């Protein structure tokens, strides 16, 4: 289980490795989309997706999920065109047969996602997860689950992609904390390879 945390290089271009592991680790791909296309896809998805507010149990209470969500199978007949185009580009660049996309809409700095790993039973082993960011930049923390629990912080800029290996979900948590800084809305597209039974 070779793993290491790497510091992002200041002047590097192309994908930056944040965490190394035997399946490609966690890497950050700035400017996967150019600014105009990222802005166009943000506006189309913000205005056309049927965003859902969800609730979930926490201890003895029911709480609001602090962001809006949506999801599509990539063969859905009503798949918005930016999602089809993004999936085609990511399949080509990452050589991964993505078949589902989960969407998150962070309305402002009050919205967040708690540290978590993706549910392994609903992912095909060995296949990556790709998070494409649109809209405002938000900071993700990626933290090792075991001591010394080192962490990496990465600003997820519009048009960027964060690629996480399946193996990284065993050993790391990722999350986006609330912020008091004024921040605009952000949409993330989480492309995954689901086994047939969980699609
Ligand atoms: O918004 C993001 O970039 C992270 C989303 C995420 O962690 C998830 O959908 O499981």
């Amino acid at each position: 289980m070779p793993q290491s945390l790497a510091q992002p290089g200041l002047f590097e271009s192309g994908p930056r490795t944040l965490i190394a592991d035997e399946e490609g680790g966690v890497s950050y791909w700035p400017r996967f989309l150019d600014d105009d296309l990222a802005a166009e896809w943000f506006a189309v998805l913000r205005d056309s997706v049927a965003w859902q507010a969800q609730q979930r149990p926490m201890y003895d209470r029911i709480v609001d999920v602090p962001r809006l969500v949506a999801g599509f199978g990539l063969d859905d007949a009503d798949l918005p065109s930016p999602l089809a185009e993004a999936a085609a580009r990511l399949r080509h660049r990452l050589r991964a047969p993505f078949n589902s996309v989960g969407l998150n809409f962070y309305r402002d700095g009050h919205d967040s996602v708690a540290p978590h790993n993706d549910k392994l039973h609903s992912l095909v082993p060995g296949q990556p997860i790709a998070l494409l960011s649109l809209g405002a930049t938000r900071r993700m923390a990626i933290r090792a689950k075991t001591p010394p629990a080192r962490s990496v912080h990465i600003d997820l800029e519009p048009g960027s992609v964060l690629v996480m290996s399946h193996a990284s979900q065993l050993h790391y948590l990722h999350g986006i904390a609330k912020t008091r800084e004024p921040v605009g809305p952000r949409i993330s597209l989480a492309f995954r390879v689901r086994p047939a039974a969980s699609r």
Side-chain angles (χ1 to χ4, degrees), residues 104 106 113 116 118 131 133 140 156 174 176 186 188 190 192:
N104 297 287
Y106 301 80
V113 62
H116 67 286
D118 282 22
L131 298 173
S133 292
M140 174 173 276
L156 301 174
H174 59 278
I176 296 176
R186 167 177 184 263
S188 68
R192 299 184 175 92

Side-chain angles (χ1 to χ4, degrees), residues 71-85 87 91 101 191:
F72 295 88
L74 292 176
D75 53 7
D76 287 358
D78 60 348
L79 187 69
S81 60
L83 301 182
E85 176 67 20
R91 283 181 182 135
V101 60
F191 289 88

Side-chain angles (χ1 to χ4, degrees), residues 52 146 197:
Q52 296 170 8
T146 52

Side-chain angles (χ1 to χ4, degrees), residues 4-20 26-30 139-140 142 151-157 162:
S4 64
L5 295 172
Q7 287 303 318
L10 266 183
F11 302 109
E12 269 174 84
S13 58
R16 285 192 230 150
T17 300
L18 305 179
I19 294 168
V26 179
S27 58
Y28 180 69
W29 301 51
R139 177 163 288 195
M140 174 173 276
I142 305 172
S151 59
V152 176
H153 294 86
I154 181 79
D155 287 333
L156 301 174
E157 299 159 308
L162 187 84

